[in-house]
Amino acid sequence: MNLPDFKLERYFARYEFSAPYLLCCSDCESITIKDLLAFEGESSLDALQNLWLGYTEAQGNPELRQNIAGLYRGIKPDEILVTSGAEEAIFIFMNIALERGDHVIVQYPCYQSLFEIANSIGCNVTKWMMEEKDSWEIDLNFLAGSINNKTKAIILNSPHNPTGCQISQEDIKTIVDLAAAQGVLLFSDEVYRGLEYERTSPAAAAELYESAVSLGVMSKTYGLPGLRIGWAATGNKDLYRKMASFKDYTSICNSAPSEFLAALALRHGDKLVDRNLGIIESNLLLLDSFFSRYAEFFSWPRPNAGPIAFPGIKWPMDVEQFCIDLVQSSGVLLLPGNYYDYDNKHFRIGFGRQNMPQCLEQLEQYVNKKLLSTPCHCP
């Protein structure tokens, strides 16, 4: 397997830990271990201090799998495979499900590993394109017309990274029906599930279709990326067995403290979700106002779920040039859309963190200094 550089991660490696104003983060506000333990007081501190640091169960801690299964309807703990973040689950699925010459349909733009691993295996990848002119809505007719007798998997992402678009329950059901009719696997990236602004989550793909895999993680909705805990949920026993077996060649098992803390967090998951939704909703109002004031310079396709969106620039300049000038002159980090191999006009903005207002203030100062003062609207 010959994988190219992960463009998004290489970009973050240059700026993420040096730029003072991170305005493109895909996760929500995190908390300390102390704050997490405070949900249950001294008993949880004592349990953590006495935690045995031996090997853990390869499938994941039983209590953690029980807690994760509780996020779904009809999914059992033995249908949950706990992984090292979401990335490991993606890597495992692609390697056990796909072979050279298989056809894969990928909702696009997307996180690079959702199509790049399939490419590296030798699959033929069809990009199921989303467009701002369509309000980022998916084209179900395109999907139906793209499935052929070599189609092995459909890769879905909702709520969507980077647009913040939420696929409706009706459309998810249609996708499931299309996949089931042809016996096609469905891999559904649902790492932002629970962050719908209407406070209602559509059914997970794994709840609707036996040959679907639903991807989850502690990093996004719960704001705990430092735990490095993700999972795959599927009712397909053969698929599950193969994924669990392949994991013996990757992480084998997970960190005992991380699994302990993840289980604790999920026992209080509603509190974490409500907190992060409150931050998102407050920040979203500020973004609405900002993009309204500067509509001459930016498009603002408003998201309907999650802590990220995909606005566009309107002036004649490459978006990467804009983002690099912004971070170098003002310390504000945005993610240019070309790092999704999408276009040179859109950028990802993140608004799940408490310091977003300060970051936005710095962006506004840049706009006033570099754009409003320049007749050609070019930094």
Side-chain angles (χ1 to χ4, degrees), residues 161-300:
N161 176 0
T163 68
C165 178
Q166 169 67 55
I167 299 177
S168 70
Q169 181 68 78
E170 181 181 358
D171 285 351
I172 291 174
K173 182 64 168 58
T174 299
I175 294 166
V176 165
D177 289 343
L178 288 170
Q182 300 295 325
V184 173
L185 299 174
L186 178 60
F187 186 87
S188 182
D189 179 344
E190 299 165 2
V191 297
Y192 292 108
R193 190 165 184 257
L195 292 181
E196 297 83 7
Y197 305 156
E198 295 182 355
R199 299 299 205 278
T200 301
S201 299
E207 296 175 341
L208 300 173
Y209 180 38
E210 185 180 66
S211 291
V213 175
S214 286
L215 177 69
V217 77
M218 297 303 299
S219 305
K220 309 301 184 184
T221 300
Y222 302 99
L224 300 172
L227 294 182
R228 308 311 305 137
I229 292 293
W231 62 85
T234 182
N236 186 312
K237 290 181 173 55
D238 184 57
L239 201 60
Y240 183 96
R241 180 188 60 77
K242 290 178 180 177
M243 290 185 69
S245 180
F246 193 92
K247 189 177 179 236
D248 294 339
Y249 285 95
T250 54
S251 66
I252 302 178
C253 63
N254 305 297
S255 157
S258 289
E259 289 196 329
F260 172 89
L261 293 169
L264 191 159
L266 289 177
R267 289 198 293 273
H268 304 275
D270 289 348
K271 297 174 186 175
L272 291 169
V273 173
D274 286 345
R275 171 179 173 271
N276 287 332
L277 273 171
I279 294 170
I280 287 169
E281 290 169 343
S282 176
N283 287 340
L284 197 53
L285 293 176
L286 296 178
L287 289 173
D288 287 338
S289 178
F290 172 85
F291 285 113
S292 177
R293 291 196 302 277
Y294 299 103
E296 177 185 0
F297 302 108
F298 301 100
S299 64
W300 174 232

Side-chain angles (χ1 to χ4, degrees), residues 70-92:
L71 302 174
Y72 304 94
R73 292 183 179 180
I75 297 294
K76 305 178 185 66
D78 62 2
E79 295 172 331
I80 302 294
L81 180 66
V82 181
T83 59
S84 179
E87 183 69 81
E88 185 183 28
I90 296 169
F91 187 81
I92 291 174

Side-chain angles (χ1 to χ4, degrees), residues 40 42 64 70 72 76 99 126 141 157 164 198 254 286 293 303 334 347:
E40 296 183 359
E42 288 296 324
L64 176 57
Y72 304 94
K76 305 178 185 66
E99 298 178 354
T126 295
N141 290 327
N157 176 206
E198 295 182 355
N254 305 297
L286 296 178
R293 291 196 302 277
L334 294 172
F347 60 90

Side-chain angles (χ1 to χ4, degrees), residues 3 15 36 93 106 119 195 207 209 227 297 322 348 372:
L3 287 167
Y15 298 113
L36 187 55
F93 171 81
V106 183
N119 274 334
L195 292 181
E207 296 175 341
Y209 180 38
L227 294 182
F297 302 108
F322 159 62
R348 189 179 80 186
L372 287 176

